Amino acid sequence: MEQFDEFVKRLQLSHISDQEITAYKSAIQSFLEACSYRLTDDRIIIYINRLKEEFEPKTVRNKLIKIRRFLKFINHPLADDVKLPKIPKRRKNVIKVGHIRNLLNKAEELREPYRSRLKCAVLLSATSGLRAEELYKLRLNDIDVEDRVIRVRAEIAKDFEDRVTFFSEEAKEALIYYLEITGGRDYLFSKKSLNYHLAKLSDSLRMKHMRKFFSQQSDRLGMPTAVKKILMGHSLRGDVDLSHYDFQDEEELKEVYDRYWASYRFF
């Protein structure tokens, strides 16, 4: 347990999120308890085989990544022998206009302010390319409503870099209405509330799929891939042209964005 506590401290000093640290703690505590806190080779092998019997390969892989990292931390001799299972490649989800439109129609079943919150969140995400976690942490002063600009703070971005993105006129209308009925709270969207109502209305769509839609629809509309990557905050490592030469300022990015998205409407 002393080694486990020290391992958690090291995680807290790294750049991974609190949510990921919680996942590490849960996976490793379950592992230690199942092994009765005696990490003999036999006990480890039995536990890993049980994981493979009970869970899908993706879940097993996620758990083993955490367990292997802990075993390496304590210099266990089996650490390098823990192999990660291959994940079957599934056909990628294709999110089309009709899917988003149907979700927005279903949102009309909700009472206020849940209806306006969900519609606003969906439209903002689907036309801006925000990550779900960025949306949940978005604050009112991060948004220039009039000019339709979202300034994603480095503190909430996955790559810890500031960036800007934009949203459509239709999303602006939804945002203004949402702010009117809620009084303009600082944090705009509740992760718990959005996930609950999305699960209630749809079997397949979640907030992360709005970002996927933005990416796919931008390609359908013909938006330059370089601009899409910049707006979505994709890693530019390895892309010499984008990371060193193709930087564009906010005004230029908005001009390109508006050409494809400003007047785009679901209804």
Side-chain angles (χ1 to χ4, degrees), residues 7-29:
F7 177 73
V8 172
K9 288 179 183 178
R10 297 291 181 88
L11 291 177
Q12 291 168 337
L13 291 172
S14 67
H15 290 299
I16 66 175
S17 66
D18 292 342
Q19 184 178 3
E20 186 69 4
I21 289 173
T22 300
Y24 264 96
K25 290 169 68 175
S26 175
I28 296 169
Q29 283 175 331

Side-chain angles (χ1 to χ4, degrees), residues 161-226:
E161 292 185 9
D162 290 328
R163 77 174 192 279
V164 295
T165 187
F166 314 98
F167 51 95
S168 68
E169 289 287 352
E170 186 179 29
K172 175 180 174 179
E173 295 166 11
L175 176 59
I176 290 173
Y177 182 73
Y178 175 55
L179 293 176
E180 286 176 354
I181 67 171
T182 59
R185 64 182 69 191
D186 189 22
Y187 284 96
L188 299 173
F189 304 108
S190 162
K191 178 178 180 179
K192 184 177 180 180
S193 174
L194 288 177
N195 287 340
Y196 172 77
H197 289 108
L198 275 172
K200 185 177 179 181
L201 297 176
S202 174
D203 293 331
S204 56
L205 288 181
R206 297 295 179 266
M207 198 54 63
K208 65 181 181 180
H209 294 118
M210 305 306 118
R211 175 177 165 87
K212 187 181 291 284
F213 169 80
F214 176 80
S215 178
Q216 294 175 355
Q217 189 66 14
S218 291
D219 291 340
R220 297 182 191 113
L221 295 173
M223 175 186 277
T225 301

Side-chain angles (χ1 to χ4, degrees), residues 128-192:
S128 70
L130 283 175
R131 294 181 175 89
E133 290 299 324
E134 293 170 347
L135 178 80
Y136 304 141
K137 297 174 183 176
L138 203 61
R139 303 177 71 168
L140 183 56
N141 60 9
D142 295 328
I143 304 176
D144 181 337
V145 179
E146 185 59 33
D147 287 338
R148 297 180 287 104
V149 180
I150 298 175
R151 292 183 171 83
V152 183
R153 290 171 282 117
E155 295 87 347
I156 69 172
K158 184 178 180 180
D159 58 0
F160 297 98
E161 292 185 9
D162 290 328
R163 77 174 192 279
V164 295
T165 187
F166 314 98
F167 51 95
S168 68
E169 289 287 352
E170 186 179 29
K172 175 180 174 179
E173 295 166 11
L175 176 59
I176 290 173
Y177 182 73
Y178 175 55
L179 293 176
E180 286 176 354
I181 67 171
T182 59
R185 64 182 69 191
D186 189 22
Y187 284 96
L188 299 173
F189 304 108
S190 162
K191 178 178 180 179
K192 184 177 180 180

Side-chain angles (χ1 to χ4, degrees), residues 231-242:
L231 295 177
M232 295 182 71
H234 283 312
S235 173
L236 303 181
R237 294 189 185 95
D239 193 322
V240 176
D241 185 53
L242 281 181

